[in-house]
Amino acid sequence: MTLQQWCFSFKGRIGRRDFWIWMGTWVVLMAAAFTLANYDLVAIQSIAFFIVALLWPTSAVLVKRLHDRNKAGWWALLLILAWMLAAGNWQMLAPVWQWGIGRFIPTLIIVMMMIDLGAFVGTEGDNRFGPEAERVKFR
């Protein structure tokens, strides 16, 4: 798999190694972006554009990893649900429900997705999403 297919195509499968390489790259890019914004070296609007630009490759990597686990890419929408629950204003609910809906459920979704995608081995051989995952050629 080429670097372009890895970051921009939703077809195919990737293994755990390539998934964690992207997650590590994403964390470093986010830390650098927010550090630059914190010191007023880059406008916050530029950082917002940068984050939106990273949505496509992140989605592509997540979907391909889900395909390797023989799951449809639609399961990635659970992460959007987790983000929406975490960002919601739950002040109208009792404190235990505020914590449950606004913190516990999103955290549970994210942790379960990371365990499923990052720890479990993909399907052996071919599955409905294509042949077995091949490593990304970074050079």
Side-chain angles (χ1 to χ4, degrees), residues 75-88 90 100-113:
W75 282 99
L77 293 177
L78 279 175
L79 293 173
I80 294 174
L81 173 65
W83 175 78
M84 289 172 53
L85 289 173
W90 304 106
I101 293 174
R103 298 293 178 259
F104 179 73
I105 293 174
T107 302
L108 181 67
I109 291 170
I110 291 168
V111 167
M112 294 304 293
M113 289 287 287

Side-chain angles (χ1 to χ4, degrees), residues 1-46:
M1 178 175 293
T2 65
L3 197 57
Q4 290 82 9
Q5 290 169 329
W6 181 52
C7 285
F8 299 109
S9 171
F10 286 84
K11 295 184 184 207
R13 299 164 52 182
I14 61 168
R16 291 177 294 180
R17 171 189 164 262
D18 298 324
F19 170 75
W20 283 116
I21 288 172
W22 176 256
M23 287 296 118
T25 303
W26 184 84
V27 167
V28 168
L29 290 172
M30 287 291 115
F34 285 109
T35 300
L36 291 172
N38 187 44
Y39 290 111
D40 292 328
L41 298 172
V42 177
I44 195 70
Q45 292 86 358
S46 299

Side-chain angles (χ1 to χ4, degrees), residues 89-99 101-102:
N89 183 0
W90 304 106
Q91 296 298 319
M92 73 291 246
L93 300 175
V96 70
W97 288 103
Q98 291 175 23
W99 175 83
I101 293 174

